[in-house]
Amino acid sequence: MEALLGSPKLRASPLSPAAARSPLPSRVRAIAPAAASRPRPLRSGPKSTVQALARDEMLNAAALEDAKAVNDAAASQGIRIRRHCRPTASMKEVEEEMGAPRNILEKIIWDKEIEVAQGLARNPLKEVIESAGKAPPTRDFYGALAAAYKRNGVPALIAEVKKASPSRGVLRENFDPVEIARAYEKHGAACLSILTDEKYFQGSFENLQKVRKAEVKCPLLCKEFVIDEWQIYYARSIGADAVLLIAAVLTDHDLKYFLQICNKLGLTALVEVHDEREMERVLKIDGVQLIGINNRSLETFIVDTSNTKTLLEKHGDAIREKGILVVGESGLFNPDDVAYVQNAGVSAVLVGESLVKQEDPGRAIAGLFGKELLH
Ligand SMILES: O=P(O)(O)OC[C@@H](O)[C@@H](O)c1c[nH]c2ccccc12
């Protein structure tokens, strides 16, 4: 299939024949390749005639078929998260067709499909691409991490501006994203991660925008559940320097496609893996510079820092050969934790909870590393 269709240059997903034929805008294909080829059913629309009802049923059946093609292709790569591919339907309708989401990550993604459609309606892709084109140059996220690691001799810090999470609830009541970002920067964070998911993490794109406008100099990661190119252009247009791409959610094709967009926009992609299969998939993709190993499963919430060690024992050589920098993510609380993942081979760490929960998140950095970090 790949050979037939050529390299995955800004074109339809090879997942479905319908998408391969269709000259549709690529954004729709990215979210649901086959589903994009027909108008989406709106079951709540007017149903005044028998014909209209029959038509609805047909469209609905088509949507289900499309979702099946997308999900079968994803499953063949070991991806357990399904898409409903019906971004204009209500969640109730989605669940009637698909059953309940199997885990929290799937739930987040199902909501995200609907959210993205709403975002697109508010800010059409064409306009967002235009404003991304006018945004000031990005800052070098990868370079900032590499330089900080060299300077401090401990993993570079990506400090996360995180109010809440589905696994831990609210982490900080009086939450001022700009104040926290400034404190992190002052105390030696190399880069910042700003959670933008609203429903599950109480973050927002607005927070990212505010931090950028506050003249914080650290490069910023837009911590979002990216499933559509619109989110990437939007992140760039409001000042992100990097975006997260989660391998547990995205097929190889999606990853390649989104990496191309990042490249075009000067964004760094942090490609997140959690298990062996995801790591193997990601290492086969060209152009990956930064891999994050999440110690927390987004499906079960189980945190295990030995995950970083296990994956690097097996793949560390291949990673070093490619010049990829590894970020140890989640569940790091003290200098021992940091030393553990550093010995496993990471050059950077991504930390939220243990900093943001403390009275002074900036000062908490010295506690996490056992020393002050230099700028
Ligand atoms: O708060 P912690 O345990 O330090 O974790 C930070 C970060 O790794 C975590 O927020 C995270 C990692 N990958 C994600 C993907 C989506 C949302 C959140 C995350």
Side-chain angles (χ1 to χ4, degrees), residues 160 162 195 201 223 225 244 246 272 294 296 298 329-332 350-354:
E160 186 152 279
K162 182 180 196 179
L195 270 156
F201 291 85
K223 196 73 171 318
F225 294 85
L244 183 74
I246 303 176
E272 178 174 301
N294 199 350
R296 178 182 294 113
L298 294 171
E329 299 180 358
S330 309
L332 306 175
L350 174 55
V351 183
E353 177 177 347
S354 68

Side-chain angles (χ1 to χ4, degrees), residues 92-122:
K92 191 166 163 280
E93 288 167 332
V94 167
E95 290 199 19
E96 271 167 22
E97 305 292 0
M98 313 266 302
R102 289 177 187 152
N103 55 54
I104 181 71
L105 182 56
E106 190 165 89
K107 191 165 190 301
I108 293 173
I109 297 304
W110 287 8
D111 275 313
K112 200 55 83 181
E113 287 186 78
I114 294 171
E115 245 176 58
V116 166
Q118 292 164 349
L120 269 161
R122 274 195 309 272

